[in-house]
Amino acid sequence: MITKTLSKKSLKRILQKSGANLPDFNFRRHFFPMRIVGLTGGIGSGKSTVSNLFKAQGIPVVDADVVARNVLKKGTGGWRKVVAAFGNEILLPSGEVDRPKLGQIVFNDLNKRQLLNRLLAPYISSRIFLEVFKLWMKGCKIIVLDVPLLFEAKMDKWTKPIIVVWVDPKTQLERLMSRDGTTAEDANSRINAQMPLDLKKTKADIVIDNSGSLDDLSERFRQSLVDVKKPLTWTEFGLCRDGALVAFVSILCGVIICRKAL
């Protein structure tokens, strides 16, 4: 990769040798690092709380749950696919999808859950890409992808570091029952419909243990933030807007220099 060996000073020297006039070009101002952080967890683990902590730090979050709600709105392509597959009985009088009812159907049936994921995956992934692209164009330094199915959807390969919000099984069950007012059977059904948290934990770069109090969670989040904000690697830089700009300018300058040499 060109950007792996080309420093900003080297690039500036090349641009000057090529005859480019750059008296006011400020590399410190124009070259912003960008990192795409993967955030995931399990139902009742406290992932949304961690997501809000990122927002409180001024770090933009692309929330897959919000995206999923938008692609399932009445009249959208996702809405039409889901209604065709599950029937009008999942609709409210307003024509919107009754999400709790649909959730009950798919959480208790693996085949239907996989069908729903297949139907919505293209719409969700394209919308997430669009949101990330908008933030990329703005030159954001850090973007967090809040995706419950980060590993299942294989979106983990686009993120670094990967943060898993973990909680012990007993606490997870108790919190879910208290939050949703459900029975232990229903809560366990929803928990078992997802990849086990202990398995997600093994795939994480950073694990935030949320088995304690909110103060404990805030402290662990602050510790994790140090890793999230550490300097960007060359690989990550190459994937950001400014890395792409460096690569483009480097190639352009190489072409100019070669033409002059000829």
Side-chain angles (χ1 to χ4, degrees):
M1 184 184 292
I2 293 176
T3 58
K4 207 163 189 173
T5 57
L6 188 64
S7 68
K8 294 175 186 177
K9 286 184 179 179
S10 300
L11 176 58
K12 193 170 184 178
R13 284 199 300 270
I14 291 173
L15 287 169
Q16 288 170 340
K17 285 181 181 179
S18 69
N21 183 21
L22 299 170
D24 299 319
F25 191 81
N26 188 326
F27 281 86
R28 190 176 184 82
R29 185 177 72 244
H30 287 282
F31 288 83
F32 300 96
M34 188 193 77
R35 170 169 285 132
I36 301 178
V37 179
L39 175 64
T40 191
I43 188 169
S45 69
K47 176 181 61 63
S48 297
T49 303
V50 174
S51 181
N52 288 331
L53 289 172
F54 273 114
K55 292 174 186 175
Q57 291 289 323
I59 297 173
V61 175
V62 177
D63 191 331
D65 283 338
V66 173
V67 171
R69 284 196 290 272
N70 289 333
V71 301
L72 205 50
K73 284 183 176 178
K74 181 181 177 180
T76 62
W79 178 88
R80 286 191 289 270
K81 292 274 189 182
V82 170
V83 173
F86 291 90
N88 290 333
E89 56 268 25
I90 65 166
L91 296 178
L92 295 166
S94 63
E96 295 289 350
V97 171
D98 186 337
R99 294 177 62 84
K101 186 173 184 178
L102 179 61
Q104 252 185 345
I105 293 171
V106 300
F107 272 119
N108 294 315
D109 189 315
L110 176 61
N111 291 329
K112 289 181 179 179
R113 187 164 67 249
Q114 291 176 338
L115 172 61
L116 180 64
N117 288 336
R118 284 198 304 272
L119 292 174
L120 293 181
Y123 299 99
I124 292 174
S125 58
S126 60
R127 184 67 66 88
I128 286 176
F129 174 80
L130 178 61
E131 293 304 315
V132 170
F133 182 73
K134 289 177 182 176
L135 293 168
W136 184 79
M137 289 298 292
K138 290 179 181 177
C140 291
K141 293 183 178 181
I142 301 171
I143 296 172
V144 174
L145 288 190
D146 180 347
V147 187
L149 302 180
L150 185 74
F151 299 113
E152 296 90 331
K154 303 190 185 306
M155 296 185 71
D156 54 304
K157 61 185 177 181
W158 301 109
T159 62
K160 192 73 174 180
I162 296 169
I163 299 175
V164 168
V165 184
W166 181 89
V167 67
D168 66 83
K170 182 175 180 291
T171 303
Q172 183 181 20
L173 179 62
E174 290 173 350
R175 286 179 180 173
L176 184 57
M177 290 172 62
S178 174
R179 188 192 74 182
D180 296 349
T182 59
T183 64
E185 184 181 359
D186 286 341
N188 271 317
S189 175
R190 292 170 69 87
I191 290 171
N192 293 333
Q194 298 182 333
M195 180 186 290
L197 270 176
D198 284 341
L199 178 55
K200 289 187 178 184
K201 187 178 178 180
T202 64
K203 298 173 178 286
D205 299 303
I206 300 171
V207 176
I208 297 180
D209 185 344
N210 187 27
S211 300
S213 67
L214 185 57
D215 287 338
D216 292 335
L217 176 62
S218 297
E219 177 56 32
R220 292 190 177 102
F221 171 77
R222 282 193 291 270
Q223 293 169 1
S224 301
L225 202 58
V226 174
D227 288 327
V228 170
K229 289 186 172 181
K230 69 182 180 182
L232 211 64
T233 66
W234 276 109
T235 301
E236 291 167 323
F237 182 73
L239 294 174
C240 76
R241 181 196 66 175
D242 303 300
L245 177 61
V246 170
F248 173 75
V249 174
S250 301
I251 294 170
L252 179 62
C253 290
V255 171
I256 294 173
I257 292 171
C258 288
R259 286 175 65 89
K260 286 193 173 185
L262 295 174

